[in-house]
Amino acid sequence: KEEKQRLRKEKKQQKKNKEKNDEKTSHEEQPAGSASQPPAQPSPKAVPVPASEAPAPADKPAKSKADLKAERRARQEAERASKGKKGDVGQPAPTGKLKAPPSELQPVVKRLPEHVQVDNPEVVKKLAKKLERQQIPLRSDYGYKVSLFSHLHQYSRKAPLTQQLGIPSTVIHPAIVRLGLQYSQGIVAGSNARSVALLHAFQQVIRDYTTPPNEELSRDLVNKLKPYISFLNQCRPLSASMGNAIKYIKKEISNIPSQCKEEEAKIKLLNCIERYINEKIVLAAKAIAKYSIEKISDGDVILFPPNCSFNVTISTSISSSLVNHILCEAFEKKRKFRVIVVDSRPRLEGREALRRLVQKGISCTYVLISAVSYILPEVSKVFLGAHALLANGYVMSRVGTSQIALVAKAFNVPVLVCCETYKFCERVQTDSFVSNELDDPDDLIVTRKGKTQLEHWQKVPSLGLLNLVYDVTPPDFVDLVITDLGMIPCTSVPVVLRVKNVDQ
Amino acid sequence: MRPGLHEEWGEIDLTERIEAFLSDLKRGGSGTGPLRGSAEMARETTALLRRIAAQARWSNAGDLMEIIRTEGRRMTAAQPSETTVGNMIRRVLKIIREEYARSRGSSEETDQQESLHKLLTSGGLSEENFRQHFAALKANVIEAINELLTELEGTTDNIKMQALEHIHSNEVIMTIGRSRTVEAFLKDAARKRKFHVIVAECAPFCQGHKMATSLSEAGIETTVITDAAIFAVMSRVNKVIIGTQTVLANGGLRAVNGTHTLALAAKHHSTPLIVCAPMFKLSPQFPNEEDTFHKFVSPHEVLPFTEGEILSKVNVHCPVFDYVPPELITLFISNIGGHAPSYIYRLMSELYHPEDHEL
């Protein structure tokens, strides 16, 4: 709504300027009279205007602003004409206004506003109201938050959101409830795994969906999905890949023509989702593996911090994380290499990856991240996975990735990042503070030799534990990004995004 | 039978003490053994050396130096990573040389450095065999060692006093693992200034946890982070203050693992790296001695035995130390003041005699 108001104001200003210009040019243009009609008036009789308007201001080079405005108006009239007899009289005006600025901004990647603002009480109140409307419980923050991160949420794993839901929940589909629980407890973790799980859950939702009478499937289903997304966001903040997947689904749903029967529409949507998973995740993994294998030569020693690549623990056709997959493929192609697996507390995801590699028969070494500068002189390549690639070329990945890239740079070891294109994101970020996720701080507590040092950290007022989940790696540390579109440098990410936007 | 140490009532006591010290050393160096800090280790070594000087049988300086050298070799062999022991032995040897020279009447400064002039004119000085007997030598040596002991006791205090010159208010300071020197340094500054400390926990021993609890009990705002988050939070850090196990002869450090990453991250963000190291940690070793530089402990700290079968198929490393090159270090704070890493070689030549570098 705010956006609409803002755009309306813009249009009014432009109209004022345009009127000033038009007064000067009005003696030249005959059809200018109808052109200077304020676009706020819904005028279905604007049909004859467009063609005559376009060549009119072309002879005044100094009035290029007027050119643009006239062209824009021509486009608006044309669009309005095509929509013409649709029936809603009130619609063309706001859609006309809304359509103009986005078409102006078409070549530029849109800026996404930051939505998590825990330190702003108004935003928190608004969020609480929205959740109340959607009948979803609000998750409360846990523990003392480090002041640098007071704008982020910090939840405890021991208090899952589902405890506050009634059984059975009338608002939220049980598949989504299960998914939310899996996310918050860390059972399904990792960018790919979470996206695939989300899409499967949505497939289930669509299967069980029936259009209520007097409602259109395209609009009602989208509205049904909104509380689910809020719920999942409360369980665990959405990742960039999940965001892209949701955008795709919403677009597909709203593109369903209204005369389509319900059964047909559902089958169509299910197929869309299946195709998305297949293209963007499964086949992309195969393509990336193909490119990466060219980069692995005999006798290589590869460093692999699996805290950035993900295991899929639900039953799908994908059975390995991306870099794990690449290494197994390369091993099958009879390349001789050695892998060093670097792990870090508190998640220790490396052990699982280590098990898979050892099962395949690859010779592995295992160290903790603090020993990286000891082990790096023996390494010939570093493979990293990514959670998302940002529009300014920064790589967002598990915490610790940027450190490994830094030390690798100091030792002159090439760093390769493997990432599917569906993880590319329009956000920009330069440090790991403004947008991050805070995990349960109790994970840092460890018992050694029977003594737990940090057991009573909550009682000590000046002690805080920080368990970050993500960090950003600057593009100068990364030598190559391997995607399903090919091997690109880190700085080409906005190009890929632009191509994708134009396609859609 | 070693020369000079034979069975008398006082000397059985001495041998027993030496053996007890050696077995203590073998059991573990400072940090993982019977939890002694380097300062305690240095004090015990010096006290033991004083006892040897007092109770062993020797008639001239050369004999004493020989005894100390032999015992010293045994001590360093017991725990090669504990360089403080070797450093104290070299200090005492230097003291003996100085006292001897003073007793002989020649000035101390000239036979320190091997200037070209000296090599040309007085070639015979380096063949000094310390065989002359001086009656007052024993008392002088013991007095000098007592001075050394007082100096050792005051090192932490001297370093603490410099804290306020380096920390201003509202700063964010980062440190790694646990160092008693840095702890005292920060606590002293916290009496007058308010600042925030971030401690990297330093897996797998997680000594950072103990440091954090201790600092927070002194009222300092502390945050514990994992090792993986060091680079992520470094952009908000104003200074990095660390302790070290040894300061090497080229100005580099042998510090706890993870320090090299910390130093690289600090360099990337142009954050000053300050090392608090008392003088007894300065060692004449160079970092290119590969087989003695690294120390490894049991890999079960990294991959515990509960992981099962994969243990036999995987190589696991658990190094304890890291090498930090001198280019990454901004300042050394020691009990005699602050120095740049390029000055370390000079300090070393004042503390130790070049012939003692190899015990």
Side-chain angles (χ1 to χ4, degrees):
Chain A
K1 269 190 204 155
E2 289 169 329
E3 254 196 0
K4 278 189 192 167
Q5 282 177 355
R6 191 168 47 87
L7 292 167
R8 262 190 217 123
K9 276 191 207 151
E10 264 181 28
K11 284 265 72 161
K12 278 191 194 144
Q13 261 194 342
Q14 285 169 1
K15 183 190 71 175
K16 270 192 216 153
N17 292 345
K18 212 264 160 199
E19 275 180 345
K20 268 194 233 153
N21 285 344
D22 274 342
E23 278 169 26
K24 297 180 194 159
T25 62
S26 58
H27 62 276
E28 292 182 15
E29 307 160 75
Q30 259 76 5
S34 51
S36 63
Q37 263 176 20
Q41 290 174 13
S43 44
K45 54 187 190 288
V47 179
V49 182
S52 48
E53 222 187 22
D59 49 349
K60 284 269 173 151
K63 305 279 181 187
S64 51
K65 238 187 187 175
D67 291 358
L68 282 173
K69 280 182 200 139
E71 276 172 30
R72 235 198 338 251
R73 193 142 309 107
R75 242 180 286 150
Q76 279 173 43
E77 314 290 348
E79 281 162 352
R80 217 175 298 145
S82 63
K83 275 213 165 190
K85 312 286 177 170
K86 200 115 195 245
D88 303 351
V89 178
Q91 285 287 345
T95 49
K97 281 181 212 133
L98 281 174
K99 288 237 169 106
S103 60
E104 212 180 329
L105 294 172
Q106 186 76 43
V108 173
V109 175
K110 268 213 307 216
R111 186 184 74 85
L112 297 176
E114 189 53 49
H115 53 276
V116 179
Q117 291 179 46
V118 177
D119 52 351
N120 187 350
E122 289 165 17
V123 174
V124 175
K125 249 192 277 174
K126 247 205 280 182
L127 177 68
K129 270 198 222 141
K130 172 173 148 204
L131 289 178
E132 229 182 278
R133 233 184 15 234
Q134 297 173 338
Q135 295 176 351
I136 294 171
L138 178 67
R139 199 168 181 195
S140 49
D141 284 348
Y142 166 75
Y144 169 69
K145 246 190 284 181
V146 178
S147 57
L148 286 169
F149 290 96
S150 58
H151 62 287
L152 296 173
H153 289 291
Q154 184 173 278
Y155 301 128
S156 163
R157 199 162 298 132
K158 294 204 193 75
L161 196 58
T162 46
Q163 281 175 353
Q164 302 171 38
L165 282 180
I167 298 172
S169 162
T170 47
V171 181
I172 306 180
H173 191 280
I176 302 281
V177 176
R178 190 178 69 164
L179 188 66
L181 196 57
Q182 282 174 333
Y183 282 169
S184 68
Q185 299 303 104
I187 299 171
V188 174
S191 177
N192 277 344
R194 285 163 70 190
S195 309
V196 170
L198 178 74
L199 291 169
H200 280 280
F202 276 177
Q203 275 183 330
Q204 186 61 39
V205 166
I206 291 175
R207 262 183 231 123
D208 296 339
Y209 171 75
T210 45
T211 324
N214 305 330
E215 288 282 351
E216 257 189 56
L217 179 129
S218 54
R219 249 174 259 144
D220 186 57
L221 188 53
V222 174
N223 284 339
K224 271 264 162 45
L225 289 182
K226 284 202 184 121
Y228 299 167
I229 295 169
S230 311
F231 173 71
L232 292 176
N233 207 3
Q234 284 291 298
C235 288
R236 193 173 159 193
L238 296 181
S239 66
S241 50
M242 287 164 72
N244 287 344
I246 290 173
K247 252 190 266 175
Y248 174 76
I249 291 183
K250 281 190 178 166
K251 193 174 72 84
E252 284 299 310
I253 294 177
S254 40
N255 281 348
I256 299 244
S258 51
Q259 60 267 29
C260 195
K261 281 213 196 50
E262 185 178 319
E263 276 312 309
E264 279 178 38
K266 280 175 41 170
I267 293 178
K268 193 157 160 239
L269 284 175
L270 291 175
N271 285 341
C272 272
I273 294 182
E274 202 55 53
R275 209 178 52 224
Y276 186 83
I277 296 180
N278 207 20
E279 274 175 27
K280 304 280 180 177
I281 303 179
V282 180
L283 292 179
K286 290 210 175 86
I288 293 178
K290 194 168 73 91
Y291 288 125
S292 324
I293 287 171
E294 295 168 29
K295 290 290 173 190
I296 300 178
S297 31
D298 280 349
D300 261 347
V301 179
I302 298 174
L303 190 83
F304 162 45
N307 48 4
C308 350
S309 37
F310 319 107
N311 305 322
V312 179
T313 53
I314 57 173
S315 59
T316 65
S317 53
I318 315 166
S319 59
S320 62
S321 65
L322 191 53
V323 182
N324 228 333
H325 182 66
I326 294 171
L327 293 175
C328 297
E329 290 270 313
F331 190 72
E332 277 160 29
K333 296 236 171 13
K334 306 281 186 268
R335 297 284 163 91
K336 298 193 182 14
F337 57 90
R338 218 165 42 92
V339 174
I340 298 178
V341 175
V342 176
D343 205 5
S344 82
R345 282 194 72 238
R347 289 184 173 224
L348 293 171
E349 293 165 332
R351 296 201 183 154
E352 192 50 48
L354 185 68
R355 243 178 274 269
R356 291 201 191 170
L357 292 173
V358 168
Q359 264 175 4
K360 289 272 175 175
I362 304 176
S363 61
C364 300
T365 307
Y366 180 80
V367 286
L368 284 181
I369 199 169
S370 40
V372 140
S373 54
Y374 163 72
I375 205 97
L376 246 151
E378 338 179 334
V379 172
S380 58
K381 285 189 184 70
V382 176
F383 270 86
L384 303 174
H387 171 87
L389 242 65
L390 305 175
N392 57 343
Y394 279 63
V395 178
M396 181 178 213
S397 183
R398 273 271 188 271
V399 71
T401 314
S402 54
Q403 217 163 290
I404 293 179
L406 168 78
V407 185
K409 186 96 185 162
F411 282 88
N412 277 326
V413 174
V415 173
L416 295 92
V417 172
C418 306
C419 182
E420 300 95 334
T421 40
Y422 88 106
K423 289 184 191 163
F424 286 17
C425 161
E426 285 111 3
R427 216 166 55 205
V428 288
Q429 217 178 315
T430 50
D431 59 29
S432 323
F433 289 87
V434 278
S435 173
N436 207 329
E437 194 183 322
L438 294 178
D439 208 357
D440 193 347
D442 289 332
D443 285 345
L444 288 185
I445 303 179
V446 72
T447 307
R448 278 186 56 85
K449 299 188 180 159
K451 285 207 297 186
T452 317
Q453 280 293 337
L454 295 177
E455 202 167 353
H456 306 289
W457 71 274
Q458 304 246 29
K459 301 206 185 94
V460 184
S462 38
L463 184 59
L465 301 185
L466 185 60
N467 192 357
L468 284 179
V469 180
Y470 299 120
D471 72 6
V472 279
T473 310
D476 24 330
F477 292 163
V478 176
D479 292 306
L480 187 66
V481 177
I482 305 178
T483 68
D484 39 317
L485 296 177
M487 302 196 245
I488 58 174
C490 234
T491 43
S492 299
V493 169
V495 176
V496 171
L497 278 172
R498 181 188 174 142
V499 166
K500 259 193 349 168
N501 277 345
V502 169
D503 277 344
Q504 288 172 0
Chain B
M1 273 303 175
R2 278 170 245 109
L5 267 183
H6 57 257
E7 307 290 283
E8 268 194 27
W9 186 75
E11 268 120 35
I12 297 178
D13 192 35
L14 179 63
T15 336
E16 264 179 31
R17 280 181 193 265
I18 296 179
E19 294 304 323
F21 186 66
L22 282 173
S23 63
D24 257 350
L25 275 179
K26 277 204 188 100
R27 243 185 302 148
S30 62
T32 49
L35 286 179
R36 296 130 128 236
S38 304
E40 261 185 70
M41 189 75 66
R43 235 175 288 139
E44 293 246 354
T45 316
T46 319
L48 189 61
L49 291 174
R50 182 180 57 182
R51 199 174 274 276
I52 294 179
Q55 291 179 353
R57 275 283 196 97
W58 53 278
S59 57
N60 52 44
D63 279 345
L64 180 58
M65 282 169 49
E66 199 43 52
I67 297 171
I68 291 188
R69 238 187 240 127
T70 330
E71 294 305 323
R73 258 178 246 138
R74 287 180 69 207
M75 288 186 210
T76 45
Q79 184 69 247
S81 69
E82 197 54 58
T83 44
T84 341
V85 174
N87 297 345
M88 286 295 104
I89 291 169
R90 291 182 187 100
R91 285 292 288 271
V92 170
L93 287 172
K94 178 100 193 296
I95 286 175
I96 298 173
R97 279 176 207 265
E98 277 176 6
E99 291 302 322
Y100 183 79
R102 200 179 299 149
S103 304
R104 271 184 89 231
S106 55
S107 60
E108 297 148 36
E109 291 94 36
T110 49
D111 55 352
Q112 285 286 3
Q113 298 129 34
E114 311 242 310
S115 70
L116 285 175
H117 177 78
K118 266 187 55 227
L119 281 175
L120 215 48
T121 55
S122 50
L125 250 170
S126 52
E127 285 161 27
E128 178 64 64
N129 57 3
F130 297 96
R131 289 289 160 206
Q132 243 178 313
H133 174 79
F134 292 109
L137 188 60
K138 189 163 184 166
N140 285 345
V141 165
I142 293 182
E143 199 188 313
I145 297 184
N146 280 337
E147 273 175 30
L148 180 59
L149 272 171
T150 2
E151 186 194 316
L152 284 180
E153 262 150 52
T155 42
T156 319
D157 285 334
N158 283 335
I159 294 181
K160 257 175 27 176
M161 287 191 312
Q162 304 175 49
L164 282 177
E165 297 167 10
H166 297 281
I167 300 179
H168 61 75
S169 45
N170 272 337
E171 262 198 306
V172 178
I173 295 180
M174 184 144 173
T175 182
I176 186 169
R178 176 158 189 244
S179 162
R180 285 167 192 75
T181 321
V182 174
E183 207 180 306
F185 191 80
L186 292 174
K187 280 184 181 167
D188 194 79
R191 287 188 299 128
K192 298 270 177 63
R193 308 253 157 98
K194 268 219 125 349
F195 52 90
H196 191 124
V197 175
I198 299 181
V199 181
E201 66 177 4
C202 190
F205 304 108
C206 293
Q207 297 205 320
H209 292 187
K210 188 143 200 292
M211 176 88 155
T213 31
S214 153
L215 285 176
S216 56
E217 271 155 26
I220 304 177
E221 280 280 331
T222 323
T223 307
V224 178
I225 60 166
T226 52
D227 299 330
I230 288 178
F231 186 74
V233 303
M234 183 57 80
S235 50
R236 290 296 171 274
V237 174
N238 299 116
K239 281 194 178 74
V240 181
I241 301 184
I242 55 175
T244 172
Q245 201 259 357
T246 313
V247 180
L248 300 166
N250 64 343
L253 297 181
R254 184 158 82 178
V256 78
N257 67 340
T259 315
H260 190 205
T261 315
L262 184 64
L264 282 172
K267 186 84 181 186
H268 182 261
H269 288 100
S270 301
T271 313
L273 178 69
I274 299 177
V275 181
C276 289
M279 272 294 110
F280 60 81
K281 288 195 177 166
L282 183 55
S283 158
Q285 272 182 327
F286 277 94
N288 39 10
E289 291 142 34
E290 276 305 320
D291 37 349
T292 49
F293 187 84
H294 278 293
K295 175 179 163 190
F296 297 91
V297 290
S298 163
H300 91 274
E301 308 274 357
V302 174
L303 195 62
F305 295 123
T306 47
E307 291 299 315
E309 306 172 340
I310 56 172
L311 276 178
S312 51
K313 303 182 190 148
V314 171
N315 294 330
V316 182
H317 295 292
C318 187
V320 179
F321 298 124
D322 244 356
Y323 169 62
V324 182
E327 303 86 52
L328 301 174
I329 303 169
T330 320
L331 185 69
F332 279 99
I333 295 182
S334 71
N335 47 316
I336 51 184
H339 327 279
S342 46
Y343 189 62
I344 293 291
Y345 81 97
R346 194 77 194 162
L347 288 173
M348 217 181 52
S349 67
E350 284 175 17
L351 289 178
Y352 312 125
H353 195 271
E355 280 177 21
D356 295 329
H357 287 189
E358 275 299 316
L359 270 184

